[in-house]
Amino acid sequence: MPRLEHIGIAVDDVAAVVRCLKELLNVQPYKTETVSTQQVRTHFLDTEATKLELLESMDADSAVQRFLDRRGEGLHHLAFEVNDAAATMERLRQAGFSLLSDSPQPGADEKHIFFVHPKDTHGVLVEFCETTSPRWSPKYVSQSNGRVAFYEKGDPDRPSLLFLHGAGGSTRLDTAPLMRRLESSFHVAGLDLSGHGETSLPSSGTLTMDRFLEEIHVALDALEWSSTHIFGFSLGSAVALRFAAAHPDRVNRLGLFAPNVEWDRPLAEKLIARLHLDALRSRFPERASRLEQEHQHPERLFPALRAFVAGLPSANEQMADTLATVSSPTLVTGLDEDPLFGREGVETVYQQLQHARLAILPGTRHTLADGPLSLLSSLLRSHFQGE
Ligand code: CMX
């Protein structure tokens, strides 16, 4: 079902509209972007229910300028987000709608977009948009043991929020869609953990919790964040908990999605079975090829991850001590039908923390990028804003 992604409003005097919306809704633009193909400058505001996109014409011949000349300032279009813009185009073309381009075009906010002519939609210009894989460039910090990579977005004056991905994932693969949803409220950064994404795998080929924690320090120092909120998914949530227990002065609040802290041999074996590229290639070829492209040394990373997971059952006691020590207010979230950890794994984490709230969301896949992002981002925003 397409989701209302934003409402476009054509404006003559952007400063006056911004002042009005500040008084009316207490919202301010969080990003401005020029889309040269559409000859517009866009200003995005996030009202939580949906985004508003203020459209300023950059050319006397642009579609927005024609609209302003004919109708004056006002509601310009409704934009709905779809998973596959090309497939949606094909469906609508076959249904007889007049589409304003032959294929999806680059739009603002790293989206591919197309429009349906308002004469076919009872006078309302409708846009469809698909969020593309971000082409974000990381920042690197060199270390004796290789480099640490992180991605930074949003206004540096906002509260800081660090994102940690899951095992075998990366910022671009796991946490980027959530970062995009929260960049309007926070100064966000996504860290790639050792061997994942753009961060080097240590020459020993061994992944350790201590090294993950060291990488968080490196990123926080490079960002000049003395303390921060941290969000972690799966492995990233265990790393976030360990960091918060060891360095309470550097962590404000924690948000966890699909965490697990109690490991036995069968559970470790279940995860290890998922961490084989060959098996992935035959079952999910598209996912396998994305992993191969995303990681620098996938052929070394996956054996390293299997060895790391094999050691988790012997670290249960240490993890229980960790949970008892964490003092940061924590929002624990998980899926009602998580196929890997079950709902019990999430509830155990919640029960062992001193200052935690629990939210169980509907879902059947242990992934973040395809998870219940609207619900999750709204819960996290409130939690990190201290509500
Ligand atoms: N909403 C509703 N109706 C609109 C409209 C809009 N945003 N823009 C134009 N119309 C109406 C006109 O008022 C006119 O109606 P009448 O004939 O009743 O007067 C009719 O559409 C005109 O259509 P047209 O003759 O085809 O002429 P236009 O040159 O005005 O083009 C349209 C209209 C929709 C094809 C053109 O505006 C367009 O291509 N829009 C899509 C691109 C766009 O809007 N980009 C900016 C957004 C960028 C972004 O979000 O990134």
Side-chain angles (χ1 to χ4, degrees):
M1 173 79 78
R3 178 183 78 89
L4 183 63
E5 213 279 336
H6 66 259
I7 296 173
I9 300 171
V11 302
D12 272 323
D13 182 351
V14 70
V17 179
V18 166
R19 273 198 305 278
C20 171
L21 289 170
K22 168 81 181 133
E23 279 180 29
L24 198 64
L25 301 170
N26 199 22
V27 287
Q28 297 206 70
Y30 65 91
K31 96 166 148 187
T32 292
E33 198 179 323
T34 299
V35 186
S36 43
T37 46
Q38 300 285 337
Q39 299 155 307
V40 289
R41 184 157 44 221
T42 61
H43 306 262
F44 284 95
L45 301 94
D46 195 342
T47 69
E48 277 223 23
T50 191
K51 293 180 200 157
L52 303 179
E53 181 191 40
L54 307 184
L55 297 160
E56 249 189 304
S57 172
M58 302 299 288
D59 191 290
D61 292 329
S62 71
V64 169
Q65 192 58 56
R66 281 200 303 279
F67 177 93
L68 286 165
D69 292 345
R70 206 180 290 191
R71 301 179 167 212
E73 290 187 319
L75 182 65
H76 182 266
H77 66 266
L78 301 181
F80 293 92
E81 187 172 30
V82 291
N83 291 333
D84 187 339
T88 306
M89 268 192 119
E90 189 48 37
R91 178 176 69 77
L92 297 178
R93 194 178 286 119
Q94 288 193 6
F97 287 94
S98 314
L99 308 179
L100 298 178
S101 59
D102 294 332
S103 59
Q105 307 291 311
D109 201 23
E110 294 172 295
K111 300 228 171 9
H112 282 158
I113 62 173
F114 70 91
F115 292 90
V116 183
H117 199 288
K119 74 178 164 51
D120 288 351
T121 48
H122 302 267
V124 179
L125 177 62
V126 176
E127 172 187 321
F128 286 90
C129 56
E130 174 189 336
T131 302
T132 55
S133 297
R135 294 177 296 270
W136 297 351
S137 305
K139 294 186 172 156
Y140 298 109
V141 183
S142 296
Q143 290 231 291
S144 54
N145 219 338
R147 68 187 192 192
V148 174
F150 63 91
Y151 299 78
E152 183 188 2
K153 293 271 151 191
D155 183 344
D157 290 337
R158 296 187 189 282
S160 53
L161 171 54
L162 183 74
F163 288 76
L164 302 175
H165 57 78
S170 69
T171 302
R172 283 192 294 228
L173 291 172
D174 287 353
T175 50
L178 198 56
M179 287 171 66
R180 280 174 160 176
R181 284 170 189 254
L182 291 169
E183 72 168 300
S184 57
S185 306
F186 302 94
H187 180 198
V188 297
L191 171 65
D192 283 351
L193 297 168
S194 325
H196 294 75
E198 297 284 334
T199 292
S200 310
L201 187 66
S203 48
S204 63
T206 309
L207 299 175
T208 64
M209 194 54 97
D210 284 346
R211 189 174 160 90
F212 294 150
L213 301 198
E214 185 49 38
E215 286 159 354
I216 297 180
H217 276 299
V218 168
L220 296 192
D221 290 347
L223 287 155
E224 298 183 357
W225 291 356
S226 54
S227 67
T228 181
H229 302 308
I230 303 185
F231 167 83
F233 161 56
S234 199
L235 166 70
S237 62
V239 178
L241 285 165
R242 289 291 292 274
F243 189 82
H247 306 286
D249 52 319
R250 300 209 80 174
V251 180
N252 302 325
R253 289 177 164 249
L254 285 178
L256 313 177
F257 179 61
N260 184 66
V261 290
E262 280 189 357
W263 291 86
D264 56 18
R265 191 61 47 208
L267 181 56
E269 293 298 335
K270 193 171 166 185
L271 179 53
I272 286 169
R274 286 174 159 228
L275 295 170
H276 279 274
L277 266 181
D278 288 342
L280 268 176
R281 267 190 218 104
S282 59
R283 288 186 61 209
F284 307 107
E286 210 174 296
R287 166 108 182 127
S289 102
R290 283 193 70 198
L291 293 178
E292 278 168 323
Q293 282 165 22
E294 180 63 15
H295 303 308
Q296 294 187 312
H297 302 290
E299 70 295 343
R300 289 174 56 220
L301 170 64
F302 284 85
L305 274 170
R306 294 198 291 273
F308 179 80
V309 173
L312 289 174
S314 58
N316 276 341
E317 218 167 289
Q318 199 182 8
M319 207 60 206
D321 291 346
T322 295
L323 264 72
T325 333
V326 170
S327 56
S328 313
T330 304
L331 176 68
V332 182
T333 65
L335 300 174
D336 58 348
E337 295 182 38
D338 186 318
L340 189 61
F341 300 147
R343 182 178 162 149
E344 307 72 41
V346 179
E347 288 174 348
T348 303
V349 176
Y350 162 69
Q351 282 153 6
Q352 292 185 25
L353 285 165
Q354 299 171 47
H355 304 290
R357 307 292 301 270
L358 174 69
I360 300 291
L361 311 180
T364 55
R365 293 185 62 207
H366 188 81
T367 65
L368 178 58
D370 301 328
L373 290 179
S374 295
L375 221 45
L376 185 59
S377 56
S378 160
L379 289 168
L380 289 169
R381 184 182 280 109
S382 304
H383 170 66
F384 288 129
Q385 286 176 338
E387 291 163 12

